[in-house]
Amino acid sequence: MSSHKPIKVALLGCGTVGTEVVRLLTDQAADLTARVGAPVELAGIAVRKPNKHRDVPAELLTADAEALIASDVDVVVEVIGGIEPARSLLLAALRSGKSVVTANKALLAEHSADLFEASDASGADLYFEAAVAGAIPLLRPLRESLAGDRITRVMGIVNGTTNFILSGMDSTGASYGETLEEATRLGYAEADPTADVDGFDAASKAAILASLAFHSRVTAADVHREGIASVSAADIAAAKALGRTVKLLAICERVTEDGGESISVRVHPAMIPKSHPLAGVNGAFNAVFVEADAAGEMMFYGQGAGGAPTASAVLGDLVAVARNRVHRGRGPRESAYAALPVRPMGQTPTRYHISLDVADRAGVLSQVAAVFAEHDVSIAAVRQEGRVDDASLVIVTHAATDAALRSTVDKIGGLPVVREVVSVMRVEGEEL
Ligand code: NDP
Ligand code: HSE
């Protein structure tokens, strides 16, 4: 039996994730006591509508989150989501010395500076493993296990809804609209899928990943963001024809140029080779590929969402902060000392796959190639397939700045010999 006084927990929110947090806390109470060295006691649950929650003990429920935080709790677990009131509630908790565990990526991607400042001022812990990639242990490895290495790249599938849609389009050949409808029917996409399909959710996660990987402060506003709504069945077919597949990637890269360093943080659909480890990540799963100087390449894979998987990450953090309280220790603080600048997307080196319908006659290829040369974009591969009186031309470039690539595509689209720019997609995950 433990002699330490109980660690009292305030739970803010009892929806998809919160309900599972309550279940795990209850079902595993004895094990948690043994692991922490003190009982972990649920002192109260703040929700919007206490009457609606019949599955949790009524005496724990309250609509007054502020009062719950101000009571004699040690740890505040926030699974409400959104910016307010979560931000004010967590600032109040941290300022009064209560450890915080949160799954709220939107909040961390916008207000981490304020939260870390409050955490530093009082010495209280701020943990947020569940905010990126659900159950997958990813932030702790970046923040702690790899703290002695130099991370160069973090590239991953961090949104299950969009991965479900793109995997579906790849396997059935169906359109984006049809596959989104199917994802909504099956409960993978929310009634309003904007945050997922327009890349907002992945951009928040990319900001958190880049901040940790590169010891710099990156917010969601710094992340170049493109969603999947414009990915067409033709894009998917073009990728397939080249042994590639299309994924929505969150990419955080260290860019070294002229002796200086910056970071590129972006979320966009891209073609990756079928042989790349991320290509085999299908359905609603998440996976993140990390490259570091000494460690080399690593892959983290698992369930990126859902009540129980996300609650697993929340409980892991809860055990960590509870242990810190028992042993009077403290977890890692913010590490933003490197303060690397985020480079604009236009200056970011990337590669394009461009598929064109062109007239099939002498000189067409040289006209198209001249536009690439004019913009200093080097061509890595060209494939042409003739049809009756026109041809399909597929061009894959070497790396060039995104601005140069965009201008190239714009100008090519205006050439009289080009009937249609069928597909333009970035290419990742291979050296050409
Ligand atoms: P839900 O919408 O299912 O639950 C939100 C909960 O917060 C509800 O219980 C709601 O109360 C409560 N709530 C809302 N407003 C207030 C308020 N002003 N004061 C007190 N309580 C309030 O959200 P999820 O469980 O899905 O998500 C929670 C967090 O976890 C979010 O930050 C989300 O991004 C993150 N997350 C979620 C994942 C998932 O798969 N669901 C995966 C990874 C992270 P009431 O029930 O009474 O309305
Ligand atoms: N909506 C997110 C997804 C889950 O589809 O992955 C929470 O991060």
Side-chain angles (χ1 to χ4, degrees):
M1 285 298 286
S2 153
S3 58
H4 196 281
K5 72 179 176 63
I7 301 292
K8 291 191 176 183
V9 179
L11 179 64
L12 311 184
C14 196
T16 306
V17 180
T19 307
E20 289 299 314
V21 170
V22 175
R23 185 180 66 78
L24 293 181
L25 269 174
T26 311
D27 291 358
Q28 301 181 163
D31 285 323
L32 292 174
T33 301
R35 290 172 200 168
V36 167
V40 181
E41 194 179 289
L42 191 52
I45 307 171
V47 290
R48 219 168 3 188
K49 297 177 188 143
N51 295 336
K52 171 180 123 180
H53 298 265
R54 308 228 178 268
D55 296 340
V56 289
E59 67 277 12
L60 291 180
L61 289 165
T62 175
D64 192 345
E66 281 176 38
L68 178 60
I69 290 171
S71 69
D72 64 344
V73 296
D74 303 287
V75 181
V76 173
V77 174
E78 185 266 316
V79 281
I80 295 176
I83 306 299
E84 289 294 352
R87 176 181 160 278
S88 303
L89 293 171
L90 295 193
L91 285 174
L94 289 166
R95 284 175 186 146
S96 58
K98 320 227 153 154
S99 311
V100 163
V101 172
T102 176
N104 193 334
K105 62 227 147 193
L107 179 63
L108 281 156
E110 260 189 61
H111 295 284
S112 66
D114 297 347
L115 294 168
F116 278 118
E117 194 186 322
S119 145
D120 270 349
S122 68
D125 275 334
L126 173 59
Y127 276 59
F128 46 93
E129 181 64 64
V132 182
I136 308 171
L138 175 62
L139 303 191
R140 207 86 67 81
L142 291 178
R143 209 181 180 192
E144 299 180 35
S145 323
L146 291 164
D149 207 335
R150 181 175 175 276
I151 296 173
T152 49
R153 197 164 204 249
V154 179
M155 177 165 97
I157 296 165
V158 292
N159 184 270
T161 306
T162 46
N163 200 50
F164 181 86
I165 294 170
L166 292 174
S167 304
M169 289 173 74
D170 187 85
S171 62
T172 64
S175 71
Y176 166 75
E178 288 163 338
T179 318
L180 171 60
E181 231 169 73
E182 174 77 348
T184 311
R185 198 179 58 74
L186 294 173
Y188 286 99
E190 293 188 25
D192 177 3
T194 315
D196 293 318
V197 298
D198 287 350
F200 290 101
D201 176 80
S204 292
K205 292 167 178 170
I208 296 170
L209 290 171
S211 301
L212 294 179
F214 305 126
H215 304 273
S216 299
R217 228 174 239 163
V218 180
T219 67
D222 296 319
V223 182
H224 173 84
R225 176 186 53 79
E226 292 166 30
I228 63 163
S230 61
V231 177
S232 64
D235 292 327
I236 304 275
K240 263 190 161 172
L242 290 167
R244 297 184 176 112
T245 188
V246 177
K247 296 289 183 191
L248 182 73
L249 299 179
I251 303 170
C252 316
E253 266 174 342
R254 192 188 283 274
V255 184
T256 308
E257 201 178 56
D258 302 330
E261 279 199 335
S262 59
I263 47 184
S264 160
V265 193
R266 55 196 204 264
V267 167
H268 56 66
M271 285 184 184
I272 55 173
K274 289 263 188 201
S275 56
H276 192 280
L278 291 175
V281 178
N282 289 315
F285 275 78
N286 282 190
V288 177
F289 195 68
V290 178
E291 294 170 39
D293 277 352
E297 296 176 343
M298 287 152 281
M299 171 100 156
F300 298 81
Y301 172 82
Q303 296 195 63
T310 309
S312 164
V314 170
L315 262 284
D317 279 356
L318 180 52
V319 167
V321 302
R323 281 176 178 154
N324 290 344
R325 290 191 88 90
V326 167
H327 299 291
R328 298 183 191 285
R330 196 182 165 203
R333 301 162 58 188
E334 181 191 28
S335 173
Y337 73 92
L340 295 178
V342 178
R343 60 169 49 210
M345 188 62 191
Q347 291 170 21
T348 297
T350 177
R351 292 195 304 274
Y352 274 23
H353 164 284
I354 302 157
S355 174
L356 308 170
D357 266 359
V358 295
D360 193 5
R361 59 169 189 263
V364 171
L365 190 54
S366 73
Q367 283 187 51
V368 171
V371 178
F372 281 87
E374 194 184 306
H375 291 86
D376 203 20
V377 174
S378 170
I379 293 172
V382 181
R383 202 187 64 183
Q384 180 178 327
E385 271 173 28
R387 293 194 283 255
V388 180
D389 60 353
D390 64 3
S392 154
L393 198 57
V394 173
I395 297 164
V396 183
T397 72
H398 281 296
T401 64
D402 199 66
L405 286 162
R406 274 180 190 268
S407 307
T408 306
V409 172
D410 286 349
K411 181 134 188 208
I412 283 174
L415 291 177
V417 292
V418 173
R419 297 194 172 141
E420 191 190 353
V421 178
V422 179
S423 157
V424 178
M425 182 73 61
R426 293 194 181 79
V427 178
E428 292 288 340
E430 62 192 304
E431 286 309 321
L432 288 169

